[in-house]
Amino acid sequence: MAYIRTVKTASEAEQLVGAVTDTLDLAYGLHVTEATHIPVGTATVNYLVTDRSGDQWFAKVYRDRTVLQREREAVELAEFARAGQVPIPGVRRTREGKLVEDLGRVPMSVWQYIADAETAEGGLTGDRWQAVGAVLGRLHRRLADHPAAASTARPGAGIRDMQRTRARFDRLIAEYHRRSTHDPFEVWALDALEERRALLDRVTTILARLPELTEQIVHGDLASPNLLLRGDNVAAVIDFQPPTPRYVSWEIARIGCDPRTILLGDQWVTGLPELLAAYRTEYPAARLNDLISTVAVGCAYTLASTYPLAEPLDNPSAVEASLQAYGRARHEAALVLLDKVDETQDVLRDHLR
């Protein structure tokens, strides 16, 4: 089974559950009493699994066997970070000691299940700012020692290749205009693309003003769905990507300037400095420029991104209601960041110095 397509019928769902429970039994020695589908994720099919002893596990079934090497590297990165006292679910190895089961009926990894937790998709508020900042600082401090790549100072302008970005916007806008009909989201997406295209000169100016910034191994997808909270504390960081050097400021901005937080109101202007102060406490070697540049980097990166505005053209099947809502929120938040980028950068500089 090279690829697990979208499960559409009750019969297909039952067959997949059967394959999952068989693999858990044979490969992991887990005798499953209940397996419940968790309707999250696009690259995986996920299950909450209860075994005969009453323990609960998170079974992550990979749709595509061709990406298993990358998935294995992502699991290895999570294990590396976990050894640095970062709250990350432990992965259960197979009987043969493998992190990812790749020979059974379905490929999968199995993780500790984090009960009574919620994602950060409701936004950061109150004491969560400091809690998230502390965990993020600990994570980056640990990943700075990852053997895949050493921390390096690079020009901040490298956040985006603006020549390629302009060409991408122009190509998408032209393709939308060639279509004879558009649904409401496509009409909105085209308007947003044209508005953002007109702002790319301002993005170029923001990038040109950035100092050298740190590039190192990071989580790779630290957005609010991959941050689990229990009250005001961080319960777990999940869903790592394979180890790839990225700008530290970019990853901080992905969670600290998440659209769902920005659109709660101006409290993020005071909350973000608290996050960064807690980050710096956990990671004293962090460079000040990386922290002060967070909002500028988040603003430039988001305004120059075509996701998910391009999805109706590139991946129509992904354009569900949740993605449309996220697209609108991301666009609005990018404009808020642009309006406040100078003000908040001064706030961060004053607070951190």
Side-chain angles (χ1 to χ4, degrees):
M1 187 182 297
Y3 181 78
I4 301 171
R5 61 188 177 86
T6 302
V7 177
K8 294 182 178 179
T9 69
S11 176
E12 290 174 339
E14 185 176 348
Q15 290 176 24
L16 184 53
V17 169
V20 168
T21 55
D22 286 348
T23 302
L24 288 168
D25 185 5
L26 296 172
Y28 290 91
L30 286 174
H31 304 294
V32 177
T33 58
E34 185 176 4
T36 304
H37 176 239
I38 302 174
V40 296
T42 55
T44 58
V45 185
N46 303 309
Y47 293 89
L48 168 59
V49 173
T50 305
D51 66 22
R52 195 160 55 194
S53 65
D55 293 331
Q56 292 185 311
W57 303 90
F58 183 83
K60 190 173 183 179
V61 178
Y62 302 106
R63 295 181 182 272
D64 189 353
R65 286 185 185 270
T66 65
V67 301
L68 291 186
Q69 178 57 36
R70 284 180 51 80
E71 297 294 349
R72 191 176 295 109
E73 291 171 359
V75 177
E76 290 170 350
L77 183 61
E79 286 285 274
F80 180 87
R82 189 169 188 264
Q85 307 304 309
V86 183
I88 295 166
V91 63
R92 180 180 177 118
R93 292 177 179 263
T94 68
R95 294 176 188 267
E96 297 179 353
K98 297 188 293 185
L99 293 171
V100 174
E101 168 54 31
D102 55 2
L103 298 177
R105 290 180 62 187
V106 289
M108 67 168 65
S109 58
V110 177
W111 305 76
Q112 293 175 333
Y113 179 71
I114 306 301
D116 303 320
E118 61 178 349
T119 71
E121 290 172 283
L124 299 184
T125 57
D127 292 339
R128 290 182 173 185
W129 286 104
Q130 293 185 11
V132 171
V135 168
L136 184 53
R138 201 178 314 151
L139 172 65
H140 283 174
R141 185 185 68 205
R142 171 63 173 167
L143 294 184
D145 294 329
H146 195 276
S151 297
T152 306
R154 296 193 182 278
I159 290 286
R160 281 292 190 187
D161 181 331
M162 293 308 295
Q163 182 175 353
R164 294 180 61 184
T165 295
R166 288 186 178 88
R168 168 78 167 155
F169 271 81
D170 291 341
R171 186 166 57 251
L172 290 169
I173 290 169
E175 190 170 344
Y176 268 118
H177 279 297
R178 282 195 296 268
R179 299 177 68 149
S180 57
T181 59
H182 300 87
D183 66 26
F185 181 72
E186 291 173 357
V187 171
W188 174 83
L190 174 57
D191 288 343
L193 280 168
E194 291 178 331
E195 183 176 10
R196 298 249 278 271
R197 176 62 180 87
L199 293 171
L200 292 184
D201 284 346
R202 293 182 65 182
V203 172
T204 300
T205 299
I206 292 171
L207 292 174
R209 295 199 311 240
L210 289 173
E212 282 197 329
L213 299 174
T214 303
E215 188 178 77
Q216 67 163 66
I217 300 300
V218 295
H219 176 285
D221 191 21
L222 192 60
S224 57
N226 294 333
L227 186 67
L228 302 184
L229 302 171
R230 191 178 288 125
D232 288 332
N233 298 311
V234 176
V237 180
I238 61 173
D239 281 352
F240 281 69
Q241 295 295 301
T244 305
R246 301 291 297 262
Y247 287 94
V248 167
S249 298
W250 167 81
E251 179 140 288
I252 298 172
R254 289 206 72 199
I255 192 65
C257 301
D258 184 278
R260 286 150 288 211
T261 294
I262 298 298
L263 297 185
L264 290 176
D266 284 349
Q267 55 89 26
W268 68 273
V269 176
T270 55
L272 184 59
E274 295 178 9
L275 181 151
L276 294 173
Y279 177 102
R280 199 179 187 190
T281 298
E282 287 288 336
Y283 189 9
R287 298 173 69 238
L288 189 60
N289 280 341
D290 293 322
L291 307 185
I292 293 173
S293 300
T294 297
V295 175
V297 167
C299 174
Y301 185 90
T302 306
L303 283 173
S305 170
T306 60
Y307 179 82
L309 309 179
E311 295 307 281
L313 302 175
D314 295 344
N315 188 17
S317 63
V319 186
E320 299 179 348
S322 59
L323 185 73
Q324 294 181 31
Y326 175 72
R328 294 175 188 274
R330 192 174 193 235
H331 178 67
E332 185 178 348
L335 298 178
V336 171
L337 289 173
L338 180 61
D339 183 58
K340 292 185 174 292
V341 62
D342 292 331
E343 170 193 341
T344 52
Q345 190 155 298
D346 288 341
V347 169
L348 296 181
R349 184 179 292 105
D350 292 343
H351 188 88
L352 294 170
R353 283 180 174 168

